[in-house]
Amino acid sequence: MGTQLIILAAGQGTRMQSERPKVLHEVGGLPLFAHAIASGADLEPEKIVVVVGNGADAVRKAASAIDADITVVEQAERLGTAHAASMARDTLKGMTGDAVVLLGDTPFTRPETLAKMADARRVGNAVVVLGFEPADPARYGRMVVQDGMLERIVEWKDALPKERAITLCNGGVMMVDTALLFDLIDEIDNDNASGEYYLTDIVRLARARGLGVTAVTCDESETLGIDTRAGLARAEGMFQAAMRREALENGVTLVAPDTVFFSHDTAIGRDAIIEPHVVFGPGVTVETGATIRAYSHLEGSHVGAGAVVGPYARLRPGAELSNDAKVGNFCEIKNAHLGEGAKVNHLSYIGDATVGAATNIGAGTVTCNYDGVSKHQTTIGERVFIGSDTMLVAPVHVGDDAMTATGSVITRDVPAGDLAVARARQENKPGFALRLFKKLRDAKAARQKG
Ligand code: UD1
């Protein structure tokens, strides 16, 4: 049976005090709405519809970067959650299976919880709703359960005191046969305290048809919705704590876990060592036994087994370190492949380059990859020795087993096995320095006298 996700994300997010749609704010480097989509990924949805208000184009752009098949529809007027869900009707027309309604500002619903909801659907419940028991039930919708059946959800504004006393609250996630969802939505009116079309009314309407409705419960953290910057920061903290826990459980050494920051897709192998104050941007893989030393920043990079990065290194997108490669302090690597055992240990920039196995790049080397208009490649062979402070003016190639002399500006290819010297030849002038010092000191003394 197919599944379709409907992500409700048209809330104005006023309290974020932001020009950006709320669901584009990120946790772990991933927009909030993409977290909701990730929660439902195990259900293998055949269609994903994101319902947005303002900023549809920006959400569309972000969505297409995640999955070209995501449909973004606009809810021009914010008339309530049922009205928002009905915006998916045209996109899902004729589709069979289950619609799973998720909230775009609620990033932590676990796939396992949605799997439990799917189980509850399979045993004959027409509608399954995610419930939770918060420490403070605040203004959440209250779930009225009788004889194990979820009879209705009462919004806080509409609830009687005895209903407000109910501790089981609506988390906002629903699973229901797709055709039935739109059928029930047609029956919903806005005759309530908020004057909104409440999606929660489908519970009552399904029960009125004699259909089974049940609640599956989860931990409060799974229904955490983000409304403010403070909430976003709290969510980031929870996300980081979970990532750190997972890394430790997977056999990664984190010397000072609280100082290491991960992205949603950071992948680190067993026995890797991550020293304090390391930041992982999106798209980083670190293989087994590698060491990332203190104060390094990595994004879009692959670090091979046994490789060592840092301290104070920066790996930018496209940095590919083969096994046992070394990138030391104050080095930046971008869109460059370092072969096995290659070393870039001090104060260098290697960009748009390939560096062969066992090659040593001396301190202060720069691949001059940009001519002000276009980027150019530097290719360096195996077992090459690049002398300190070499400028490699791309496009340029240095063959296997070649050398460059310290301080060279290399503008032409260096054949394999050759030494390239590209600097002025040294000339020593006997006694010149002593004579010059004397002259300068005499001149200074004369100035001070006068
Ligand atoms: C909703 C539920 C409530 C539940 C709570 C959980 C309803 C009527 N109430 O309340 O029972 O306890 O969520 O957080 O469903 N949205 C739209 N378009 C709209 C209105 C809302 O896209 O016209 C989206 C919002 O972006 C948000 C979600 O739906 O992601 C929930 O909307 P919100 O206004 O926060 O609902 P609550 O009143 O908090």
Side-chain angles (χ1 to χ4, degrees):
M1 197 172 60
T3 300
Q4 298 97 43
L5 302 186
I6 303 174
I7 315 287
L8 304 188
Q12 282 167 338
T14 321
R15 293 204 286 146
M16 291 297 280
Q17 298 287 359
S18 177
E19 298 298 316
R20 296 159 80 189
K22 178 165 77 171
V23 293
L24 290 187
H25 287 270
E26 294 179 354
V27 165
L30 192 68
L32 291 174
F33 81 95
H35 279 275
I37 290 174
S39 298
D42 285 2
L43 300 170
E44 296 177 5
E46 40 185 7
K47 194 77 220 162
I48 300 169
V49 187
V50 183
V51 182
V52 296
N54 293 333
D57 286 344
V59 178
R60 206 166 273 128
K61 197 164 159 224
S64 68
I66 295 161
D67 180 346
D69 279 344
I70 298 173
T71 304
V72 176
V73 296
E74 274 181 71
Q75 183 196 21
E77 270 186 296
R78 198 176 174 283
L79 302 179
T81 44
H83 179 254
S86 76
M87 297 294 115
R89 187 194 301 262
D90 286 349
T91 311
L92 302 185
K93 208 179 198 125
M95 296 192 91
T96 55
D98 269 6
V100 181
V101 181
L102 295 157
L103 307 186
D105 60 3
T106 301
F108 297 139
T109 311
R110 292 186 318 136
E112 293 82 350
T113 299
L114 296 183
K116 266 198 237 164
M117 292 177 72
D119 289 344
R121 272 281 293 135
R122 265 192 292 277
V123 297
N125 295 290
V127 180
V128 181
V129 185
L130 186 60
F132 70 117
E133 302 245 7
D136 171 14
R139 292 177 169 238
Y140 289 112
R142 303 301 205 259
M143 299 174 99
V144 180
V145 178
Q146 271 162 21
D147 304 327
M149 208 37 102
L150 179 60
E151 293 295 339
R152 59 201 159 85
I153 296 174
V154 194
E155 290 309 303
W156 187 85
K157 273 192 186 172
D158 302 288
L160 301 169
K162 70 170 192 236
E163 289 167 332
R164 286 183 183 177
I166 295 172
T167 53
L168 183 62
C169 294
N170 172 28
V173 178
M174 292 199 182
M175 208 175 275
V176 49
D177 174 88
T178 304
L180 178 66
L181 171 71
F182 295 116
D183 204 17
L184 293 174
I185 283 177
D186 282 340
E187 291 181 31
I188 294 175
D189 61 33
N190 64 352
D191 185 12
N192 53 52
S194 306
E196 286 189 4
Y197 295 88
Y198 293 158
L199 185 60
T200 42
D201 279 352
I202 69 168
V203 172
R204 177 176 51 78
L205 296 168
R207 287 299 295 136
R209 292 188 186 192
L211 298 169
V213 181
T214 195
V216 161
T217 53
C218 69
D219 187 76
E220 181 172 6
S221 60
E222 293 189 52
T223 64
L224 179 86
I226 315 278
D227 294 320
T228 60
R229 302 275 181 168
L232 187 67
R234 247 191 324 275
E236 184 70 43
M238 288 167 67
F239 172 84
Q240 292 299 337
M243 289 296 282
R244 290 166 190 149
R245 238 182 352 256
E246 194 182 310
L248 293 168
E249 279 164 12
N250 289 343
V252 176
T253 295
L254 302 179
V255 178
D258 290 349
T259 69
V260 176
F261 290 83
F262 295 98
S263 277
H264 63 102
D265 56 356
T266 309
I268 305 185
R270 266 160 83 102
D271 289 321
I273 299 173
I274 314 297
E275 291 188 355
H277 299 285
V278 170
V279 176
F280 293 99
V284 177
T285 309
V286 176
E287 302 289 350
T288 177
T291 301
I292 312 297
R293 304 197 60 197
Y295 297 100
S296 294
H297 188 283
L298 299 81
E299 55 189 323
S301 303
H302 175 256
V303 178
V308 180
V309 174
Y312 297 98
R314 180 166 187 210
L315 302 190
R316 289 174 53 208
E320 281 276 336
L321 277 54
S322 302
N323 295 354
D324 301 316
K326 286 201 168 67
V327 173
N329 39 262
F330 307 109
C331 292
E332 174 180 339
I333 313 289
K334 184 218 73 169
N335 189 28
H337 179 267
L338 304 190
E340 200 165 323
K343 292 179 188 159
V344 187
N345 272 339
H346 329 272
L347 299 154
S348 293
Y349 171 64
I350 304 296
D352 300 309
T354 58
V355 175
T359 282
N360 187 85
I361 306 283
T365 294
V366 174
T367 52
C368 310
N369 59 330
Y370 188 47
D371 57 16
V373 178
S374 307
K375 300 281 170 63
H376 301 284
Q377 286 285 323
T378 300
T379 55
I380 303 171
E382 299 187 353
R383 298 170 305 280
V384 171
F385 181 88
I386 300 289
S388 292
D389 202 22
T390 297
M391 300 292 117
L392 295 153
V393 182
V396 74
H397 170 71
V398 181
D400 291 345
D401 303 295
M403 281 187 170
T404 67
T406 294
S408 289
V409 178
I410 304 294
T411 55
R412 288 187 288 129
D413 289 355
V414 182
D418 284 8
L419 165 67
V421 188
R423 63 179 189 218
R425 188 176 286 277
Q426 182 170 330
E427 190 190 340
N428 293 343
K429 301 191 179 215
F432 192 98
L434 281 177
R435 289 198 296 281
L436 183 58
F437 275 135
K438 181 167 185 323
K439 200 171 144 187
L440 295 171
R441 285 183 189 121
D442 288 351
K444 188 175 179 184
R447 272 200 312 277
Q448 281 167 348
K449 241 188 188 172

